[in-house]
Amino acid sequence: MPRLNYYRRIFSAYLFGGKSHLTFWHDTPVGNPNAVPGELGEYYMPFVEKADYRGAYDPSGVPQLDYHGHIGVQYNPIAIAQYGLGNYNLFRRTADRERRKKFFVSADWLASHLEQNSQGLAVWNHHFDWEYRDTLRAPWYSALAQGQGISVLVRAHQESRDPLYLDAAQRALACFYRPITEGGVAFPDESGDLWFEEYIVSPPTHILNGFIWASWGIYDYFLATGDPSARELFSRAVRTLLHNLERYDLGFWSLYEQSGTRMPMVASLFYHQLHVVQLRVMHRLTGEDAFARVANRWETYTRSSSNRIRALCYKIAFKLCYY
């Protein structure tokens, strides 16, 4: 039954369109040329399409996603953060007060919806079950949500000077210092590398896009506060990426994650393009040329129609075998 529900929801979203959660997530991945490394200004991706999301909103103006099927309409902390960041970018460009208002709707929701997990850490919970191999049972939390929530909150503090936002960002950051076994989102591997997990599962899967986005939240917290421990945490994330990027390269496409399964989980075209954008941002933030080299290589993969078809076949086979 869980698998049937999964395919019913996916087919409803992909084949019949409408205002599904996919209308929010699958925008065009691009970097933001207005984002300046070392400055807490516009976010590193524009999220302009997300700022004008045409799906459901609650009475306060907080966006909600329609997952169809038995999940239905839900708050998703990651979507709320990205919606806020998109409106923040547009506010910075235009000084439009309506954009500012929408940004603070997102920031206020995030500041007021941190919840304590079983280990007493402040997290943004997802209050719906989610099919990811074994089903994630509500409530579940994510390093990706933590990182992007922090990126919203530190900008809200910079714009308003209200300490409430910085206090919430500090509480949200704490889970990055604690391993998964202690209620955090961090996983130190046997090689000494430190990962931040988008989905808390065992064994961890090291989803690439979620790890990178999470690390940007830590970087933003450092820019906002000058906290040396946050700077070191971001530096460890950079080292982890540099040590492991080649593990995500199939020679014709990138991997979505380190699945630990016999068949690798290849990235979709959307996520492959997102990886390229994220690596270019990492190059701008760190100056590490390895990020640009890998981004260039992965970008060339997309120019081959045979690579795109091959990647799609891998993706479909993986879903059929493991979902």
Side-chain angles (χ1 to χ4, degrees), residues 237-248:
V238 172
R239 290 196 295 271
T240 296
L241 276 177
L242 292 172
H243 292 166
N244 291 278
L245 265 182
E246 294 302 328
R247 296 174 59 197
Y248 289 87

Side-chain angles (χ1 to χ4, degrees), residues 249-269:
D249 194 326
L250 285 173
F252 70 93
W253 209 256
S254 65
L255 291 174
Y256 177 78
E257 64 182 18
Q258 296 295 315
S259 59
T261 51
R262 184 173 181 180
M263 179 183 295
M265 186 171 182
V266 176
S268 66
L269 176 60

